[in-house]
Each structure stands twice: as structure tokens, then as C-alpha cells.
Amino acid sequence: MANLEKLRSQRWLARDEFRSFNHRSRIMQMGYDPQDWVGKPVIAILNNWNDFNPCHQHFKHRGEEVKRGVLQAGGFPLELPTVSLGEVLIKPSALLYRNMLAMEVEEMIRAYPVDGVVLMGGCDKTTPAMLLGATSADVPAIFLPAGPMLRGMSRGQTLGSGSDAFKYWDERRAGTITEPQWMSIMGGIARSAGTCMTMGTASTMMSIAEAIGMALPGAASIPAVDASHQRMATACGRRIVEMVHEDLRPSKIQTREAFLNGITVAMALGCSTNAIIHLIAQARRAKQEISLADFDRISREVPVLANIRPNGTSQYLMEDFYYAGGLRALMDRVKSHLRLDQLTVTGKTVGENLEGAECFNEDVIRPWSNPVYKEGALAVLRGNLAPDGCVIKPSAMSEKFMRHSGRALVFDDYASMKKMIDDEHADVTEDDVIVLRNAGPKGGPGMPEWGMIPMPVKLLKEGKRDMLRISDARMSGTSYGACVLHVAPEAYIGGNLALVKTGDRIAIDIPNRSIRLEVSDEELAQRRAQWKPLPPRFARGYGWMFTQHILQANEGCDMDFLQADFGESAGEPDIY
């Protein structure tokens, strides 16, 4: 049990001084009595709810369930709303605002009398943003995952959010489905609160939060509207009070080995490509170093075992994964590759948390002898087109493009590319390589999810459903196809992607992890001499600050001044 006099909150509340009197009187203004807070840890519930974010609609009620747990354990809970990044509706990109939310979380924890925090998130960028902020603040913290929505349904068919939206949009463009079918899909593909129920970025990042030890065992895969999710929320409230007494901070949990556990689990899940960006950023906040090389090495060692869309031909979704045993069952399958001695928010190790884990459906959570894909979900490619690396998801693409060479069709912006894609008479073949550039961290701006470039309608009508596409953008974790992403450095700052011309040949070799623009070094040098930078995307405000300080994809897209090695964090605030 911690000495209550050493709680951060006591500096605000316990002194016999005017400021403490003022703080106490204002808490009483809210209807509380001293017995509500005296001698108790103050727990901030950072709730990422708003009306624009369908993934978090149930958080309006979950906050109360967290408070119940805090009160049961003898804490004093206060809810603290945060910026909410509703992935689908926010433009130009939720990644543009990930660091804004991270800054808010870090600064609000420091500025208020907070002893411990419950981080309520789940929609794609909210999980990493809240963990980034809490990691930098380094007070006891536990992550409460939003959980996936229920499986989609339309006309007797199971639908997966994102993945089937892309699939049926292509079919609609190809003229193979009717308007009534399309309306049924629209109304059935997302039918409850919760995040995408495919293995998209939301499911990936919630699972990684659990894998690295920042969420309760089993929490990541509980469906958002399941009663177990309510009980888990209350359990988070109870546990954070205990963590405060134990002084169990993120810095004690988030070691390099913990992040390697996160990568291992991500590969076995068939994770979103976005995991690379977020995990690198979070590790650096925790003063740990992981890189693209760690992802690629582990990808060669750990196969995809979770049979969840968009990987393979699976009909299974996160609801099925939960019924099959959830993340504990999957982690038990890969435990020979995990660092089992790592500490978690339970106060126990990863190995202790996995005791008794069972798999109830071996088609959903496959054994090593029958993987969904023989390697991990992602592959990191390097070459003269991407000196600092790029990423592709082989587990969710056509095998015929594992080795491919084709003519480049180059586009400097999405609008001009879309014009070609929608042209039924476009000069494009399945063997060509579509290149979209100026869509990276600075060029997008904010590296939007434009990387799953739609198939040209001409090819759809020919029955083609995949081709090689390359960009410095990201793509939704629910996406699929032969899409090379995160090309670094990006074109907007003069990366070699900016030097490609229509008609050049581009070759990829995924087994050998290479990507090459088949142009001589001399020719590239001549083109570079002629390259001219584009005008700034922002002239003021947060966008200006973002583009001045954002790092490249291989560095986690954090802002340079937010990384741990930029300087010492601010100390405790003065209270006078």
C-alpha cells in the first residue's frame, strides 16, 4: 500500500494553504463532500466519446461503469473528456490529429490532480494517441478497449466493416449488384456501437495494447455491446486504484521486450499496416527502440494464425474470435515466441496471465500446423524507391503479385488518379503499377488512408480484382490488395517517389523484400536536379505546427519535440 501522503493529488488538496482551500471548495461546488476524496487516489477517466464517433457511442455509459469500479476500490473518480477522433468522418486524416490527442492526454494528466488514469479508446488513432500521452506523463494508467461491434448482416450474408465495403463498392462500380442490395449493405454493415469488427487498425491496436501489458487480459476482443464489456469497464476502475497504490506506471511495463511481444502478437493476428507507425512512436515515447527491422524479422518467424477478415478468404470476424477464446488463446498459441516474464497492468507477468487460456475453435485461431498465411502479416521492402523502407500486407493480397514488374502510371494527387480510375476507356492493364504520391505525413497532409487505391473500373469490368499499387499514404487496416504503403521518404519532401515518371518500370520481390525503380542512378540524379518542392499545405495553426515537426512513417509519425530523446519532460506544476 502506497503512502497516501505521497499521492500527486495531495499537493492540490491536502495542504493548509489558500490554494488548497480553493481547490477543495470548488470540488464541494460540484456536490462532493470531503469524505469523497480525503485520503483517496484521484482517478481521471479519460473518455474519448462524442456524437461524431460511432465506435465510442457506448462510452457515454461506460464511464459510469468505470466510476463504479473506482468507488468500489476506494478511489475518487472524475471523468475527463478528450478530443475524439472518429476515423470515418474526420478529414483529411485522423493521423493528422493523433498527436494532438496525445498532447492533450499528457498535458491534462500533468495539469490536474491525477494519481492514475483509465484511458477509454479504441477507434483507430485513439488507442495509440492515449497510450502515447499516458506513456509520456508516466502516471499509473490502464487502457479500456472500446471493443468491436457486432458482425454485419445483409440479406442472409455476414459482412465485415471496411473490408466488405471496399469489396461491394467495387462490385457496384462493376455493375454486378443492384441498388436495393447496395442499400441493404449500407444499413447492415455496421449495426452496433463498437469499432470495426474486422482485423483492422482498431482491433489491431486494442490487441497490441493488451499484448504489451497495458490492458486487462482478454479485454481487447470483448464485443462492445456484450455485458462482459460492462464488467470489464468496472474491473478497470477497480484495478487502477490498486495500480496507484502499487505505483505501477507505464515505464515499468513498456520495455523493449514488451513491444516485441506486441509485434509478435500483431503478426499472428494478421495486423493492420498502421501498427508499424503507432508502435514505433509509442516505443520511442517509452525510451525504447524498435524499428522496421524488428517487424520484418518477426514477420518471418511468426505466421498468421487468426482467421479474420481481411486475411485469406475468412468469413470470421472479431465476434467469432472472442467466442474462440480471444487474444489470450492466440497469445497462448505463440507463447514460445513471447517474453513471458514481462510485467502487465495486472501486476502479474504475461505468462501468469496466460495460465488456463483455451482455444474453442481451431479454424478461427489456427494451430501452427495450419496457418492462415505461412509468415506474419506484413513485409518491409527496401530499395531505391524506398531507401527508408515501405510496407505491404502479403497475407491480404493476390499471390501473383509477390514478384512483379510493371509500367508505372504516376499521379501527383488523388483527384487526377480518380479521373483515370473512373474512366472505362483508361489506358491501364492489370500488369501496370499505379503510383500515387504527395500523400504522406507532410504531403497528404496527415498521411490519409488513400493507399488502398481503388481498382480502375475498366479492369473491374474485365473481372480483375487486384493489381500492384504504390503510395506514400496509409490504408485502412480493413483494406486488402497488393498495395505498397508508407514509402519513405515521402515524395512531398523529395523522396525518390517524387522522381518516378509514367512509363518507368517498377519491380517488387516480396520474398526478397525488395522494391526497385528500374532507372539508373545517373538518370535519378538528373531528375532530382529538376525537382521543385510543392507549396506548404498550411499557413498557420495546428496544421502548420504538424508539418513543421512531423517525422516520417518509418519513424512513427510522431512530432520530433514529443519524443523522449528531445528533452526532459516537465516536472510537477507549481501550486501557489
Side-chain angles (χ1 to χ4, degrees), residues 466-478:
D466 204 0
M467 69 183 299
L468 186 60
R469 291 152 278 181
I470 298 175
S471 74
D472 46 14
R474 299 177 299 110
M475 76 177 184
S476 166
T478 66

Side-chain angles (χ1 to χ4, degrees), residues 198-218:
T198 44
M199 186 44 67
T201 304
S203 296
T204 294
M205 296 312 301
M206 290 187 291
S207 297
I208 288 174
E210 181 178 331
I212 65 175
M214 290 299 295
L216 292 175

Side-chain angles (χ1 to χ4, degrees), residues 22 25 76-77 81 93 103 107 175 183 189 218 286 299-300 319 349 373 388 523 542:
N22 201 42
S25 70
F76 179 47
S93 162
M103 291 170 70
E107 297 305 324
M183 292 303 295
I189 200 166
S299 179
R300 290 184 180 274
E319 197 175 343
T349 65
Y373 182 71
D388 292 336
E523 173 64 19
Y542 173 76

Side-chain angles (χ1 to χ4, degrees), residues 65-66 68-70 72 230-239:
E65 287 147 359
V66 176
R68 182 172 66 205
V70 172
Q72 288 172 356
Q230 297 170 266
R231 291 190 289 271
M232 182 269 292
T234 300
C236 286
R238 287 194 296 266
R239 180 57 195 153

Side-chain angles (χ1 to χ4, degrees), residues 62 65 68 222-233 322:
R62 290 293 180 273
E65 287 147 359
R68 182 172 66 205
I222 304 172
V225 294
D226 193 295
S228 294
H229 196 274
Q230 297 170 266
R231 291 190 289 271
M232 182 269 292
Y322 173 65

Side-chain angles (χ1 to χ4, degrees), residues 163-185:
S163 299
D164 281 320
F166 295 121
K167 172 184 173 181
Y168 287 111
W169 175 246
D170 279 351
E171 296 305 326
R172 186 168 186 250
R173 293 168 65 226
T176 62
I177 63 173
T178 65
E179 190 66 22
Q181 288 174 319
W182 182 241
M183 292 303 295
S184 177
I185 291 167

